[in-house]
Amino acid sequence: MSTPPRPRTAPTNAVAPGVTKSRTGGGFNPAANVAFNKTTIVNGNTGQPAAGPGTGGKIPGSDFMSNEDIRAFCEHLRKQSRNRATERAMDADHLEAVLRTIPDATGSLRGARGRARRVSRWMKKIAAAEKAVQRYSAMAYGTFEREFESDLRKVGKGRTQPPAASRFGWR
């Protein structure tokens, strides 16, 4: 058996002659089209001010100055790890599928499935670890709220308590 054919040239993002690179939002309503602009970085200058001290960098809530910051940070971690877990699981399946088609030194495909599973097993463990990151980031914020709830109430940024129900005194 032979190996699957490989592409002869690397894929490019070349634009066909006569085709413009600008895109519009669609043709459902000609009076309300949406245009997208792409900003490119030239010489490392993005055209945006650099993040100074105390701005939190690129991760939301990384200053940890309030409970909203901690919630935003945990939510950011959870969302990112969900995407990474999905991608890693798909990568592991793809890797296993490709490795199943590679014959051994004698040209036989016998044992290829087992070898492919042994290699892709580590990618599947990476995906499982990303799922654990999701779970632990959600648990971190829940534990924070539980442990510091009374302190948050004193500051006034915690959960608002419902007003006490008034009792009707008939006698």
Side-chain angles (χ1 to χ4, degrees), residues 11-47:
T12 62
N13 289 332
V15 178
V19 177
T20 175
K21 285 185 99 170
S22 64
R23 295 187 173 118
T24 57
F28 64 93
N29 184 0
N33 283 335
V34 180
F36 298 97
N37 294 327
K38 180 182 175 186
T39 304
T40 57
I41 299 172
V42 179
N43 296 333
N45 186 6
T46 61

Side-chain angles (χ1 to χ4, degrees), residues 3 15 22 55 57 63-64 158 164:
T3 59
V15 178
S22 64
T55 59
D63 283 340
F64 302 122

Side-chain angles (χ1 to χ4, degrees), residues 45-70:
N45 186 6
T46 61
Q48 297 176 353
T55 59
K58 299 209 181 246
I59 299 174
S62 60
D63 283 340
F64 302 122
M65 297 301 287
S66 67
N67 61 334
E68 288 89 6
D69 283 346
I70 295 170

Side-chain angles (χ1 to χ4, degrees), residues 67 71 140-150 152 159:
N67 61 334
R71 186 199 56 78
Y141 183 68
T143 305
F144 164 74
E145 274 197 329
R146 185 177 65 240
E147 295 293 331
F148 290 93
E149 185 178 16
S150 62
L152 291 173
R159 239 182 276 136

Side-chain angles (χ1 to χ4, degrees), residues 15-126:
V15 178
V19 177
T20 175
K21 285 185 99 170
S22 64
R23 295 187 173 118
T24 57
F28 64 93
N29 184 0
N33 283 335
V34 180
F36 298 97
N37 294 327
K38 180 182 175 186
T39 304
T40 57
I41 299 172
V42 179
N43 296 333
N45 186 6
T46 61
Q48 297 176 353
T55 59
K58 299 209 181 246
I59 299 174
S62 60
D63 283 340
F64 302 122
M65 297 301 287
S66 67
N67 61 334
E68 288 89 6
D69 283 346
I70 295 170
R71 186 199 56 78
F73 179 76
C74 291
E75 186 67 14
H76 175 76
L77 280 181
R78 190 189 63 78
K79 284 181 180 180
Q80 272 194 340
S81 63
R82 180 184 60 206
N83 294 337
R84 283 193 307 259
T86 304
E87 289 173 6
R88 295 301 88 82
M90 290 173 55
D91 291 342
D93 290 341
H94 184 241
L95 176 67
E96 186 173 344
V98 169
L99 293 179
R100 281 182 177 188
T101 64
I102 298 175
D104 61 5
T106 63
S108 171
L109 281 176
R110 202 163 116 182
R113 280 184 16 191
R115 291 193 318 254
R117 271 196 310 261
R118 286 191 294 272
V119 172
S120 67
R121 173 179 62 188
W122 301 107
M123 295 287 285
K124 290 177 182 177
K125 287 189 179 215
I126 292 171

